[in-house]
PDB file of all heavy atoms in Angstrom:
ATOM      1  N   ALA I1294      -4.901 100.320  11.725  1.00 97.00           N
ATOM      2  CA  ALA I1294      -4.647 101.293  12.782  1.00 97.00           C
ATOM      3  C   ALA I1294      -4.363 102.670  12.182  1.00 97.00           C
ATOM      4  O   ALA I1294      -3.811 102.792  11.077  1.00 97.00           O
ATOM      5  CB  ALA I1294      -3.471 100.846  13.635  1.00 97.00           C
ATOM      6  N   GLU I1295      -4.730 103.713  12.911  1.00 95.00           N
ATOM      7  CA  GLU I1295      -4.475 105.073  12.432  1.00 95.00           C
ATOM      8  C   GLU I1295      -2.988 105.294  12.191  1.00 95.00           C
ATOM      9  O   GLU I1295      -2.593 105.918  11.216  1.00 95.00           O
ATOM     10  CB  GLU I1295      -4.998 106.089  13.454  1.00 95.00           C
ATOM     11  CG  GLU I1295      -4.872 107.530  12.988  1.00 95.00           C
ATOM     12  CD  GLU I1295      -5.478 108.513  13.978  1.00 95.00           C
ATOM     13  OE1 GLU I1295      -6.174 108.061  14.914  1.00 95.00           O
ATOM     14  OE2 GLU I1295      -5.265 109.724  13.809  1.00 95.00           O
ATOM     15  N   LYS I1296      -2.176 104.751  13.084  1.00 96.00           N
ATOM     16  CA  LYS I1296      -0.725 104.802  12.914  1.00 96.00           C
ATOM     17  C   LYS I1296      -0.180 103.384  13.076  1.00 96.00           C
ATOM     18  O   LYS I1296       0.318 103.014  14.139  1.00 96.00           O
ATOM     19  CB  LYS I1296      -0.090 105.741  13.932  1.00 96.00           C
ATOM     20  CG  LYS I1296      -0.453 107.204  13.732  1.00 96.00           C
ATOM     21  CD  LYS I1296       0.272 108.096  14.733  1.00 96.00           C
ATOM     22  CE  LYS I1296      -0.074 109.569  14.520  1.00 96.00           C
ATOM     23  NZ  LYS I1296       0.614 110.439  15.520  1.00 96.00           N
ATOM     24  N   PRO I1297      -0.262 102.566  12.026  1.00 96.00           N
ATOM     25  CA  PRO I1297       0.195 101.179  12.149  1.00 96.00           C
ATOM     26  C   PRO I1297       1.693 101.101  12.413  1.00 96.00           C
ATOM     27  O   PRO I1297       2.454 101.997  12.033  1.00 96.00           O
ATOM     28  CB  PRO I1297      -0.158 100.576  10.787  1.00 96.00           C
ATOM     29  CG  PRO I1297      -0.262 101.718   9.859  1.00 96.00           C
ATOM     30  CD  PRO I1297      -0.742 102.878  10.670  1.00 96.00           C
ATOM     31  N   LYS I1298       2.103 100.038  13.078  1.00 97.00           N
ATOM     32  CA  LYS I1298       3.526  99.818  13.291  1.00 97.00           C
ATOM     33  C   LYS I1298       4.211  99.638  11.943  1.00 97.00           C
ATOM     34  O   LYS I1298       3.594  99.199  10.974  1.00 97.00           O
ATOM     35  CB  LYS I1298       3.731  98.599  14.186  1.00 97.00           C
ATOM     36  CG  LYS I1298       3.208  98.800  15.596  1.00 97.00           C
ATOM     37  CD  LYS I1298       3.421  97.575  16.463  1.00 97.00           C
ATOM     38  CE  LYS I1298       2.878  97.792  17.869  1.00 97.00           C
ATOM     39  NZ  LYS I1298       3.064  96.603  18.732  1.00 97.00           N
ATOM     40  N   PRO I1299       5.507  99.979  11.861  1.00 97.00           N
ATOM     41  CA  PRO I1299       6.197  99.913  10.562  1.00 97.00           C
ATOM     42  C   PRO I1299       6.039  98.571   9.857  1.00 97.00           C
ATOM     43  O   PRO I1299       5.895  98.523   8.626  1.00 97.00           O
ATOM     44  CB  PRO I1299       7.658 100.168  10.942  1.00 97.00           C
ATOM     45  CG  PRO I1299       7.580 100.983  12.186  1.00 97.00           C
ATOM     46  CD  PRO I1299       6.375 100.485  12.933  1.00 97.00           C
ATOM     47  N   GLU I1300       6.034  97.482  10.627  1.00 98.00           N
ATOM     48  CA  GLU I1300       5.928  96.154  10.022  1.00 98.00           C
ATOM     49  C   GLU I1300       4.556  95.885   9.416  1.00 98.00           C
ATOM     50  O   GLU I1300       4.405  94.954   8.617  1.00 98.00           O
ATOM     51  CB  GLU I1300       6.213  95.070  11.072  1.00 98.00           C
ATOM     52  CG  GLU I1300       7.582  95.150  11.706  1.00 98.00           C
ATOM     53  CD  GLU I1300       7.581  95.965  12.994  1.00 98.00           C
ATOM     54  OE1 GLU I1300       6.691  96.849  13.150  1.00 98.00           O
ATOM     55  OE2 GLU I1300       8.451  95.706  13.849  1.00 98.00           O
ATOM     56  N   ALA I1301       3.561  96.700   9.791  1.00 98.00           N
ATOM     57  CA  ALA I1301       2.198  96.493   9.299  1.00 98.00           C
ATOM     58  C   ALA I1301       1.817  97.475   8.198  1.00 98.00           C
ATOM     59  O   ALA I1301       0.718  97.394   7.645  1.00 98.00           O
ATOM     60  CB  ALA I1301       1.203  96.599  10.449  1.00 98.00           C
ATOM     61  N   VAL I1302       2.706  98.380   7.873  1.00 98.00           N
ATOM     62  CA  VAL I1302       2.412  99.386   6.846  1.00 98.00           C
ATOM     63  C   VAL I1302       2.409  98.733   5.465  1.00 98.00           C
ATOM     64  O   VAL I1302       3.253  97.896   5.150  1.00 98.00           O
ATOM     65  CB  VAL I1302       3.459 100.517   6.889  1.00 98.00           C
ATOM     66  CG1 VAL I1302       3.302 101.442   5.691  1.00 98.00           C
ATOM     67  CG2 VAL I1302       3.328 101.297   8.194  1.00 98.00           C
ATOM     68  N   GLY I1303       1.437  99.112   4.651  1.00 98.00           N
ATOM     69  CA  GLY I1303       1.425  98.651   3.266  1.00 98.00           C
ATOM     70  C   GLY I1303       0.301  97.717   2.911  1.00 98.00           C
ATOM     71  O   GLY I1303       0.125  97.373   1.739  1.00 98.00           O
ATOM     72  N   VAL I1304      -0.479  97.289   3.893  1.00 98.00           N
ATOM     73  CA  VAL I1304      -1.644  96.433   3.643  1.00 98.00           C
ATOM     74  C   VAL I1304      -2.794  96.950   4.492  1.00 98.00           C
ATOM     75  O   VAL I1304      -2.621  97.196   5.692  1.00 98.00           O
ATOM     76  CB  VAL I1304      -1.359  94.958   4.002  1.00 98.00           C
ATOM     77  CG1 VAL I1304      -2.624  94.114   3.816  1.00 98.00           C
ATOM     78  CG2 VAL I1304      -0.216  94.405   3.165  1.00 98.00           C
ATOM     79  N   ARG I1305      -3.950  97.113   3.880  1.00 98.00           N
ATOM     80  CA  ARG I1305      -5.121  97.604   4.593  1.00 98.00           C
ATOM     81  C   ARG I1305      -6.334  96.767   4.219  1.00 98.00           C
ATOM     82  O   ARG I1305      -6.581  96.509   3.034  1.00 98.00           O
ATOM     83  CB  ARG I1305      -5.381  99.075   4.266  1.00 98.00           C
ATOM     84  CG  ARG I1305      -6.520  99.698   5.076  1.00 98.00           C
ATOM     85  CD  ARG I1305      -6.639 101.180   4.855  1.00 98.00           C
ATOM     86  NE  ARG I1305      -7.703 101.750   5.685  1.00 98.00           N
ATOM     87  CZ  ARG I1305      -7.560 102.109   6.955  1.00 98.00           C
ATOM     88  NH1 ARG I1305      -6.371 101.987   7.528  1.00 98.00           N
ATOM     89  NH2 ARG I1305      -8.568 102.597   7.655  1.00 98.00           N
ATOM     90  N   VAL I1306      -7.101  96.330   5.222  1.00 98.00           N
ATOM     91  CA  VAL I1306      -8.310  95.542   4.974  1.00 98.00           C
ATOM     92  C   VAL I1306      -9.426  96.474   4.528  1.00 98.00           C
ATOM     93  O   VAL I1306      -9.777  97.420   5.234  1.00 98.00           O
ATOM     94  CB  VAL I1306      -8.742  94.773   6.234  1.00 98.00           C
ATOM     95  CG1 VAL I1306      -9.999  93.949   5.940  1.00 98.00           C
ATOM     96  CG2 VAL I1306      -7.616  93.868   6.737  1.00 98.00           C
ATOM     97  N   VAL I1307      -9.983  96.208   3.341  1.00 98.00           N
ATOM     98  CA  VAL I1307     -11.009  97.090   2.797  1.00 98.00           C
ATOM     99  C   VAL I1307     -12.349  96.401   2.579  1.00 98.00           C
ATOM    100  O   VAL I1307     -13.373  97.074   2.468  1.00 98.00           O
ATOM    101  CB  VAL I1307     -10.540  97.725   1.465  1.00 98.00           C
ATOM    102  CG1 VAL I1307      -9.276  98.550   1.666  1.00 98.00           C
ATOM    103  CG2 VAL I1307     -10.330  96.668   0.383  1.00 98.00           C
ATOM    104  N   ALA I1308     -12.360  95.071   2.494  1.00 98.00           N
ATOM    105  CA  ALA I1308     -13.620  94.368   2.206  1.00 98.00           C
ATOM    106  C   ALA I1308     -13.603  93.003   2.863  1.00 98.00           C
ATOM    107  O   ALA I1308     -12.538  92.420   3.110  1.00 98.00           O
ATOM    108  CB  ALA I1308     -13.822  94.221   0.696  1.00 98.00           C
ATOM    109  N   ALA I1309     -14.803  92.482   3.142  1.00 98.00           N
ATOM    110  CA  ALA I1309     -14.922  91.164   3.767  1.00 98.00           C
ATOM    111  C   ALA I1309     -16.235  90.511   3.378  1.00 98.00           C
ATOM    112  O   ALA I1309     -17.228  91.194   3.094  1.00 98.00           O
ATOM    113  CB  ALA I1309     -14.814  91.275   5.286  1.00 98.00           C
ATOM    114  N   TRP I1310     -16.220  89.183   3.369  1.00 98.00           N
ATOM    115  CA  TRP I1310     -17.416  88.366   3.143  1.00 98.00           C
ATOM    116  C   TRP I1310     -17.615  87.524   4.381  1.00 98.00           C
ATOM    117  O   TRP I1310     -16.695  86.873   4.862  1.00 98.00           O
ATOM    118  CB  TRP I1310     -17.232  87.495   1.912  1.00 98.00           C
ATOM    119  CG  TRP I1310     -18.356  86.545   1.648  1.00 98.00           C
ATOM    120  CD1 TRP I1310     -19.581  86.842   1.119  1.00 98.00           C
ATOM    121  CD2 TRP I1310     -18.351  85.132   1.894  1.00 98.00           C
ATOM    122  NE1 TRP I1310     -20.350  85.703   1.026  1.00 98.00           N
ATOM    123  CE2 TRP I1310     -19.617  84.638   1.494  1.00 98.00           C
ATOM    124  CE3 TRP I1310     -17.411  84.240   2.420  1.00 98.00           C
ATOM    125  CZ2 TRP I1310     -19.958  83.300   1.602  1.00 98.00           C
ATOM    126  CZ3 TRP I1310     -17.749  82.899   2.536  1.00 98.00           C
ATOM    127  CH2 TRP I1310     -19.005  82.440   2.120  1.00 98.00           C
ATOM    128  N   SER I1311     -18.833  87.479   4.923  1.00 98.00           N
ATOM    129  CA  SER I1311     -19.048  86.924   6.257  1.00 98.00           C
ATOM    130  C   SER I1311     -18.934  85.409   6.347  1.00 98.00           C
ATOM    131  O   SER I1311     -18.275  84.875   7.228  1.00 98.00           O
ATOM    132  CB  SER I1311     -20.414  87.364   6.791  1.00 98.00           C
ATOM    133  OG  SER I1311     -20.445  88.756   6.980  1.00 98.00           O
ATOM    134  N   GLY I1312     -19.616  84.670   5.481  1.00 97.00           N
ATOM    135  CA  GLY I1312     -19.555  83.218   5.528  1.00 97.00           C
ATOM    136  C   GLY I1312     -20.155  82.639   6.795  1.00 97.00           C
ATOM    137  O   GLY I1312     -21.132  83.150   7.348  1.00 97.00           O
ATOM    138  N   GLY I1313     -19.559  81.549   7.283  1.00 97.00           N
ATOM    139  CA  GLY I1313     -20.047  80.856   8.471  1.00 97.00           C
ATOM    140  C   GLY I1313     -20.593  79.480   8.127  1.00 97.00           C
ATOM    141  O   GLY I1313     -21.226  79.302   7.088  1.00 97.00           O
ATOM    142  N   SER I1314     -20.338  78.489   9.000  1.00 98.00           N
ATOM    143  CA  SER I1314     -20.793  77.114   8.786  1.00 98.00           C
ATOM    144  C   SER I1314     -21.912  76.786   9.775  1.00 98.00           C
ATOM    145  O   SER I1314     -21.690  76.778  10.993  1.00 98.00           O
ATOM    146  CB  SER I1314     -19.629  76.137   8.975  1.00 98.00           C
ATOM    147  OG  SER I1314     -18.661  76.326   7.960  1.00 98.00           O
ATOM    148  N   ALA I1315     -23.093  76.478   9.244  1.00 97.00           N
ATOM    149  CA  ALA I1315     -24.275  76.289  10.078  1.00 97.00           C
ATOM    150  C   ALA I1315     -24.162  75.093  11.011  1.00 97.00           C
ATOM    151  O   ALA I1315     -24.797  75.076  12.074  1.00 97.00           O
ATOM    152  CB  ALA I1315     -25.508  76.131   9.190  1.00 97.00           C
ATOM    153  N   ASP I1316     -23.352  74.079  10.644  1.00 97.00           N
ATOM    154  CA  ASP I1316     -23.257  72.889  11.480  1.00 97.00           C
ATOM    155  C   ASP I1316     -22.109  72.946  12.487  1.00 97.00           C
ATOM    156  O   ASP I1316     -21.802  71.946  13.140  1.00 97.00           O
ATOM    157  CB  ASP I1316     -23.152  71.628  10.620  1.00 97.00           C
ATOM    158  CG  ASP I1316     -21.957  71.640   9.673  1.00 97.00           C
ATOM    159  OD1 ASP I1316     -21.300  72.693   9.549  1.00 97.00           O
ATOM    160  OD2 ASP I1316     -21.689  70.594   9.050  1.00 97.00           O
ATOM    161  N   ILE I1317     -21.476  74.119  12.622  1.00 98.00           N
ATOM    162  CA  ILE I1317     -20.467  74.329  13.660  1.00 98.00           C
ATOM    163  C   ILE I1317     -20.881  75.566  14.454  1.00 98.00           C
ATOM    164  O   ILE I1317     -20.693  76.699  14.008  1.00 98.00           O
ATOM    165  CB  ILE I1317     -19.060  74.531  13.061  1.00 98.00           C
ATOM    166  CG1 ILE I1317     -18.648  73.313  12.237  1.00 98.00           C
ATOM    167  CG2 ILE I1317     -18.040  74.790  14.175  1.00 98.00           C
ATOM    168  CD1 ILE I1317     -17.273  73.439  11.595  1.00 98.00           C
ATOM    169  N   PRO I1318     -21.493  75.383  15.615  1.00 97.00           N
ATOM    170  CA  PRO I1318     -21.994  76.534  16.380  1.00 97.00           C
ATOM    171  C   PRO I1318     -20.935  77.597  16.665  1.00 97.00           C
ATOM    172  O   PRO I1318     -21.234  78.794  16.622  1.00 97.00           O
ATOM    173  CB  PRO I1318     -22.499  75.886  17.682  1.00 97.00           C
ATOM    174  CG  PRO I1318     -22.883  74.502  17.277  1.00 97.00           C
ATOM    175  CD  PRO I1318     -21.868  74.095  16.254  1.00 97.00           C
ATOM    176  N   SER I1319     -19.703  77.176  16.938  1.00 96.00           N
ATOM    177  CA  SER I1319     -18.657  78.157  17.227  1.00 96.00           C
ATOM    178  C   SER I1319     -18.278  78.972  16.005  1.00 96.00           C
ATOM    179  O   SER I1319     -17.582  79.984  16.114  1.00 96.00           O
ATOM    180  CB  SER I1319     -17.416  77.460  17.777  1.00 96.00           C
ATOM    181  OG  SER I1319     -16.875  76.529  16.839  1.00 96.00           O
ATOM    182  N   SER I1320     -18.749  78.573  14.835  1.00 97.00           N
ATOM    183  CA  SER I1320     -18.578  79.354  13.609  1.00 97.00           C
ATOM    184  C   SER I1320     -19.777  80.277  13.404  1.00 97.00           C
ATOM    185  O   SER I1320     -19.663  81.495  13.495  1.00 97.00           O
ATOM    186  CB  SER I1320     -18.418  78.427  12.403  1.00 97.00           C
ATOM    187  OG  SER I1320     -18.598  79.122  11.186  1.00 97.00           O
ATOM    188  N   ILE I1321     -20.936  79.700  13.151  1.00 97.00           N
ATOM    189  CA  ILE I1321     -22.089  80.500  12.740  1.00 97.00           C
ATOM    190  C   ILE I1321     -22.553  81.463  13.824  1.00 97.00           C
ATOM    191  O   ILE I1321     -23.015  82.578  13.529  1.00 97.00           O
ATOM    192  CB  ILE I1321     -23.249  79.575  12.284  1.00 97.00           C
ATOM    193  CG1 ILE I1321     -24.274  80.348  11.470  1.00 97.00           C
ATOM    194  CG2 ILE I1321     -23.866  78.846  13.460  1.00 97.00           C
ATOM    195  CD1 ILE I1321     -23.755  80.855  10.138  1.00 97.00           C
ATOM    196  N   ASP I1322     -22.404  81.091  15.084  1.00 97.00           N
ATOM    197  CA  ASP I1322     -22.892  81.937  16.169  1.00 97.00           C
ATOM    198  C   ASP I1322     -22.073  83.209  16.336  1.00 97.00           C
ATOM    199  O   ASP I1322     -22.551  84.175  16.942  1.00 97.00           O
ATOM    200  CB  ASP I1322     -22.898  81.165  17.493  1.00 97.00           C
ATOM    201  CG  ASP I1322     -23.942  80.059  17.519  1.00 97.00           C
ATOM    202  OD1 ASP I1322     -24.779  80.012  16.596  1.00 97.00           O
ATOM    203  OD2 ASP I1322     -23.908  79.235  18.465  1.00 97.00           O
ATOM    204  N   ARG I1323     -20.856  83.218  15.813  1.00 97.00           N
ATOM    205  CA  ARG I1323     -19.991  84.381  16.012  1.00 97.00           C
ATOM    206  C   ARG I1323     -19.967  85.340  14.828  1.00 97.00           C
ATOM    207  O   ARG I1323     -19.404  86.423  14.916  1.00 97.00           O
ATOM    208  CB  ARG I1323     -18.564  83.914  16.336  1.00 97.00           C
ATOM    209  CG  ARG I1323     -18.493  83.155  17.650  1.00 97.00           C
ATOM    210  CD  ARG I1323     -17.073  82.978  18.128  1.00 97.00           C
ATOM    211  NE  ARG I1323     -16.333  82.015  17.340  1.00 97.00           N
ATOM    212  CZ  ARG I1323     -15.062  81.670  17.598  1.00 97.00           C
ATOM    213  NH1 ARG I1323     -14.414  82.232  18.603  1.00 97.00           N
ATOM    214  NH2 ARG I1323     -14.454  80.764  16.862  1.00 97.00           N
ATOM    215  N   VAL I1324     -20.576  84.928  13.722  1.00 98.00           N
ATOM    216  CA  VAL I1324     -20.532  85.761  12.519  1.00 98.00           C
ATOM    217  C   VAL I1324     -21.134  87.156  12.728  1.00 98.00           C
ATOM    218  O   VAL I1324     -20.524  88.162  12.334  1.00 98.00           O
ATOM    219  CB  VAL I1324     -21.213  85.047  11.337  1.00 98.00           C
ATOM    220  CG1 VAL I1324     -21.427  86.002  10.156  1.00 98.00           C
ATOM    221  CG2 VAL I1324     -20.374  83.859  10.896  1.00 98.00           C
ATOM    222  N   PRO I1325     -22.322  87.291  13.321  1.00 98.00           N
ATOM    223  CA  PRO I1325     -22.911  88.636  13.443  1.00 98.00           C
ATOM    224  C   PRO I1325     -22.028  89.620  14.206  1.00 98.00           C
ATOM    225  O   PRO I1325     -21.844  90.770  13.762  1.00 98.00           O
ATOM    226  CB  PRO I1325     -24.230  88.369  14.187  1.00 98.00           C
ATOM    227  CG  PRO I1325     -24.578  86.958  13.852  1.00 98.00           C
ATOM    228  CD  PRO I1325     -23.264  86.247  13.801  1.00 98.00           C
ATOM    229  N   LYS I1326     -21.465  89.182  15.333  1.00 98.00           N
ATOM    230  CA  LYS I1326     -20.649  90.094  16.122  1.00 98.00           C
ATOM    231  C   LYS I1326     -19.374  90.500  15.386  1.00 98.00           C
ATOM    232  O   LYS I1326     -19.024  91.689  15.327  1.00 98.00           O
ATOM    233  CB  LYS I1326     -20.267  89.455  17.457  1.00 98.00           C
ATOM    234  CG  LYS I1326     -19.420  90.381  18.339  1.00 98.00           C
ATOM    235  CD  LYS I1326     -19.007  89.717  19.627  1.00 98.00           C
ATOM    236  CE  LYS I1326     -18.267  90.695  20.538  1.00 98.00           C
ATOM    237  NZ  LYS I1326     -17.089  91.301  19.909  1.00 98.00           N
ATOM    238  N   PHE I1327     -18.666  89.520  14.824  1.00 98.00           N
ATOM    239  CA  PHE I1327     -17.414  89.857  14.157  1.00 98.00           C
ATOM    240  C   PHE I1327     -17.657  90.663  12.878  1.00 98.00           C
ATOM    241  O   PHE I1327     -16.813  91.477  12.488  1.00 98.00           O
ATOM    242  CB  PHE I1327     -16.608  88.597  13.872  1.00 98.00           C
ATOM    243  CG  PHE I1327     -16.067  87.924  15.115  1.00 98.00           C
ATOM    244  CD1 PHE I1327     -16.017  86.547  15.211  1.00 98.00           C
ATOM    245  CD2 PHE I1327     -15.634  88.676  16.190  1.00 98.00           C
ATOM    246  CE1 PHE I1327     -15.532  85.926  16.351  1.00 98.00           C
ATOM    247  CE2 PHE I1327     -15.147  88.073  17.344  1.00 98.00           C
ATOM    248  CZ  PHE I1327     -15.094  86.698  17.430  1.00 98.00           C
ATOM    249  N   THR I1328     -18.789  90.453  12.235  1.00 98.00           N
ATOM    250  CA  THR I1328     -19.138  91.275  11.069  1.00 98.00           C
ATOM    251  C   THR I1328     -19.301  92.731  11.483  1.00 98.00           C
ATOM    252  O   THR I1328     -18.765  93.638  10.834  1.00 98.00           O
ATOM    253  CB  THR I1328     -20.426  90.756  10.413  1.00 98.00           C
ATOM    254  OG1 THR I1328     -20.222  89.411   9.958  1.00 98.00           O
ATOM    255  CG2 THR I1328     -20.826  91.628   9.237  1.00 98.00           C
ATOM    256  N   GLU I1329     -20.003  92.962  12.561  1.00 98.00           N
ATOM    257  CA  GLU I1329     -20.173  94.336  13.049  1.00 98.00           C
ATOM    258  C   GLU I1329     -18.841  94.929  13.505  1.00 98.00           C
ATOM    259  O   GLU I1329     -18.571  96.111  13.279  1.00 98.00           O
ATOM    260  CB  GLU I1329     -21.190  94.367  14.194  1.00 98.00           C
ATOM    261  CG  GLU I1329     -22.615  94.143  13.743  1.00 98.00           C
ATOM    262  CD  GLU I1329     -23.048  95.143  12.689  1.00 98.00           C
ATOM    263  OE1 GLU I1329     -22.830  96.357  12.889  1.00 98.00           O
ATOM    264  OE2 GLU I1329     -23.586  94.707  11.653  1.00 98.00           O
ATOM    265  N   ASP I1330     -18.013  94.110  14.133  1.00 98.00           N
ATOM    266  CA  ASP I1330     -16.719  94.605  14.623  1.00 98.00           C
ATOM    267  C   ASP I1330     -15.834  95.093  13.475  1.00 98.00           C
ATOM    268  O   ASP I1330     -15.207  96.146  13.574  1.00 98.00           O
ATOM    269  CB  ASP I1330     -15.994  93.499  15.398  1.00 98.00           C
ATOM    270  CG  ASP I1330     -16.614  93.233  16.764  1.00 98.00           C
ATOM    271  OD1 ASP I1330     -17.424  94.070  17.228  1.00 98.00           O
ATOM    272  OD2 ASP I1330     -16.295  92.188  17.355  1.00 98.00           O
ATOM    273  N   VAL I1331     -15.766  94.325  12.381  1.00 98.00           N
ATOM    274  CA  VAL I1331     -14.893  94.753  11.282  1.00 98.00           C
ATOM    275  C   VAL I1331     -15.510  95.918  10.507  1.00 98.00           C
ATOM    276  O   VAL I1331     -14.779  96.764   9.965  1.00 98.00           O
ATOM    277  CB  VAL I1331     -14.515  93.593  10.342  1.00 98.00           C
ATOM    278  CG1 VAL I1331     -13.723  92.531  11.087  1.00 98.00           C
ATOM    279  CG2 VAL I1331     -15.714  92.991   9.658  1.00 98.00           C
ATOM    280  N   LYS I1332     -16.847  95.986  10.453  1.00 98.00           N
ATOM    281  CA  LYS I1332     -17.483  97.149   9.823  1.00 98.00           C
ATOM    282  C   LYS I1332     -17.079  98.432  10.539  1.00 98.00           C
ATOM    283  O   LYS I1332     -16.821  99.464   9.902  1.00 98.00           O
ATOM    284  CB  LYS I1332     -19.004  96.993   9.842  1.00 98.00           C
ATOM    285  CG  LYS I1332     -19.548  96.042   8.790  1.00 98.00           C
ATOM    286  CD  LYS I1332     -21.037  95.810   8.965  1.00 98.00           C
ATOM    287  CE  LYS I1332     -21.855  97.041   8.691  1.00 98.00           C
ATOM    288  NZ  LYS I1332     -23.315  96.763   8.784  1.00 98.00           N
ATOM    289  N   LYS I1333     -16.994  98.376  11.858  1.00 97.00           N
ATOM    290  CA  LYS I1333     -16.604  99.554  12.639  1.00 97.00           C
ATOM    291  C   LYS I1333     -15.153  99.957  12.377  1.00 97.00           C
ATOM    292  O   LYS I1333     -14.750 101.087  12.682  1.00 97.00           O
ATOM    293  CB  LYS I1333     -16.806  99.272  14.128  1.00 97.00           C
ATOM    294  CG  LYS I1333     -18.263  99.139  14.525  1.00 97.00           C
ATOM    295  CD  LYS I1333     -18.397  98.722  15.987  1.00 97.00           C
ATOM    296  CE  LYS I1333     -19.851  98.506  16.370  1.00 97.00           C
ATOM    297  NZ  LYS I1333     -19.995  98.018  17.776  1.00 97.00           N
ATOM    298  N   LEU I1334     -14.375  99.045  11.809  1.00 98.00           N
ATOM    299  CA  LEU I1334     -12.982  99.333  11.495  1.00 98.00           C
ATOM    300  C   LEU I1334     -12.812  99.787  10.048  1.00 98.00           C
ATOM    301  O   LEU I1334     -11.695  99.836   9.528  1.00 98.00           O
ATOM    302  CB  LEU I1334     -12.129  98.088  11.765  1.00 98.00           C
ATOM    303  CG  LEU I1334     -12.056  97.661  13.241  1.00 98.00           C
ATOM    304  CD1 LEU I1334     -11.406  96.289  13.375  1.00 98.00           C
ATOM    305  CD2 LEU I1334     -11.288  98.693  14.063  1.00 98.00           C
ATOM    306  N   GLY I1335     -13.927 100.115   9.402  1.00 97.00           N
ATOM    307  CA  GLY I1335     -13.864 100.688   8.057  1.00 97.00           C
ATOM    308  C   GLY I1335     -13.877  99.679   6.930  1.00 97.00           C
ATOM    309  O   GLY I1335     -13.498 100.008   5.802  1.00 97.00           O
ATOM    310  N   VAL I1336     -14.344  98.460   7.205  1.00 98.00           N
ATOM    311  CA  VAL I1336     -14.332  97.398   6.199  1.00 98.00           C
ATOM    312  C   VAL I1336     -15.714  97.254   5.573  1.00 98.00           C
ATOM    313  O   VAL I1336     -16.724  97.169   6.282  1.00 98.00           O
ATOM    314  CB  VAL I1336     -13.902  96.066   6.832  1.00 98.00           C
ATOM    315  CG1 VAL I1336     -13.961  94.932   5.820  1.00 98.00           C
ATOM    316  CG2 VAL I1336     -12.498  96.192   7.427  1.00 98.00           C
ATOM    317  N   GLU I1337     -15.764  97.201   4.248  1.00 98.00           N
ATOM    318  CA  GLU I1337     -17.021  97.005   3.523  1.00 98.00           C
ATOM    319  C   GLU I1337     -17.388  95.520   3.535  1.00 98.00           C
ATOM    320  O   GLU I1337     -16.554  94.660   3.249  1.00 98.00           O
ATOM    321  CB  GLU I1337     -16.874  97.471   2.082  1.00 98.00           C
ATOM    322  CG  GLU I1337     -18.109  97.240   1.222  1.00 98.00           C
ATOM    323  CD  GLU I1337     -17.886  97.552  -0.249  1.00 98.00           C
ATOM    324  OE1 GLU I1337     -16.753  97.925  -0.629  1.00 98.00           O
ATOM    325  OE2 GLU I1337     -18.856  97.398  -1.028  1.00 98.00           O
TER     326      GLU I1337
END
């Protein structure tokens, strides 16, 4: 967050690896959307 709450200060997400399990639809089907969502939050 631009102004994180005091309890959240000191840790920032900077990178992510997408992953996903092909034999669990609720996993693999959601990877593209959540990948785009975190990219928009400044995550590589």
